[in-house]
Amino acid sequence: MAGMETTENPTSEAAYRRGLAEVADILRGWQGPIVVVSHVDPDGDAVGSTLALTRALRSLGKDVTLPIEPPRFLAFLAEPGELSAPLEALPAGCLLAVLDAADKDRAVGAPLEGAVKTLNLDHHPTNDRFGDVAVVAPDKAATAVLVKDLLDTMGFAWTVAVATPCLTGMLTDTGNFRHANTDRTVLDAAGELIEVGVPYAELTDQLQLRHPDYFKMLGEVMATVEFRLGGQLVTARLTRAMRERIGQSDDDSDDFVGLIRYAEGVKVAALLKEREDAVKISVRSRDGASAQAICTELGGGGHRVAAGATVHADLERTAQLLEEATRRELDRLAAVPAGS
Ligand code: 5GP
Ligand code: MN
């Protein structure tokens, strides 16, 4: 059965509330197993929103499996035994909740076919509304905001254990409440979670901690910074050779691109991460440029100012494709009359 949210205006608050109420009803009544998954390369919102929902549902007596592998800097969020390895098959009669995954192809951790019902909770504008009930709210700063609203809808009695990962999702997806998606809604939601008792300063401090190798890698990656298109595009590379030398996975490199985005004159910043037979690019934009438009052109997607793609080419070719897509986006931007 298609959920009501698949046909309604995604930005309508009333439709959003109805969607959450429908999800709340399903979760409350569910007696069988529940599997919660998120997107590949899980970030703070992926880990935080799934862990918050999982803990809340377990405290309500539900049988929940969370197959997710957090990056190293987020591993502190989970207790031993809370997470599981990727599932080969879904348990019989299960409910599948997919969080923060723009499309089915991005979701990992379990097969996506074979659930009795599939829930899709997300805030990516590019979400294709897969699943039986899809609550997609692009105006929300993080999927963790949806989880906060969902648990409030269920009348959940908040605990620090549930509030902490939920607040983490809000912190990381807003760049610690600095990005353009920071609004009253997310700040209010975060305030309520702090009031539950989350040790805020401790959490933000912990979220900045990185393995020593991270800083060695930062040095190597920053040495590759290149300015293109008259300084409007900045790129940096993280190569397989660097990873072999330093011995770090690229899990923790997410904010490298956020750093170079602050070079004066830059409208588009990209980190090119070399993988086995492809290059993963992370793109951030500013001053009206759309990272999403660039990445969509390269076969990926994401949000307006933060998007990504995986390009099946070598670093040189990927950099070239990225530059071409960026040039087209900057041309488009230049053609738009100021103020519109
Ligand atoms: P990141 O650069 O941090 O990997 O991703 C930034 C944003 O773009 C995230 O919201 C992420 O989910 C999205 N994103 C990254 N890579 C892809 C991709 O290949 N396809 C789609 N649809 N979204 C992506
Ligand atoms: Mn998110």
Side-chain angles (χ1 to χ4, degrees), residues 112-132:
L112 295 187
E113 304 299 333
V116 174
K117 214 177 254 275
T118 299
L119 309 176
N120 169 5
L121 295 180
D122 187 30
H123 70 132
H124 292 89
T126 51
N127 189 295
D128 62 9
R129 286 153 201 281
F130 64 88
D132 300 298

Side-chain angles (χ1 to χ4, degrees), residues 24-25 56 59 70 83 137-138 153 168 180 189 197 201 220 243 248 301 315 322 324-325:
D25 276 346
S59 77
L83 312 179
T153 303
T168 299
E220 297 238 3
R243 224 172 285 134
Q248 185 218 343
L315 275 169
L322 170 75
E324 286 162 12

Side-chain angles (χ1 to χ4, degrees), residues 38-39 43-46 49 99-101 122-124 140-144 169 172-173 181 303:
S38 189
H39 62 78
D43 56 13
D45 193 27
S49 62
L99 271 56
D100 201 40
D122 187 30
H123 70 132
H124 292 89
K140 300 293 187 277
T143 298
T172 56
D173 260 25
N181 57 358
H303 307 276

Side-chain angles (χ1 to χ4, degrees), residues 153-176:
T153 303
M154 295 174 75
F156 181 71
W158 284 87
T159 58
V160 171
V162 176
T164 299
C166 198
L167 181 55
T168 299
M170 297 175 194
L171 275 163
T172 56
D173 260 25
T174 59
N176 298 330

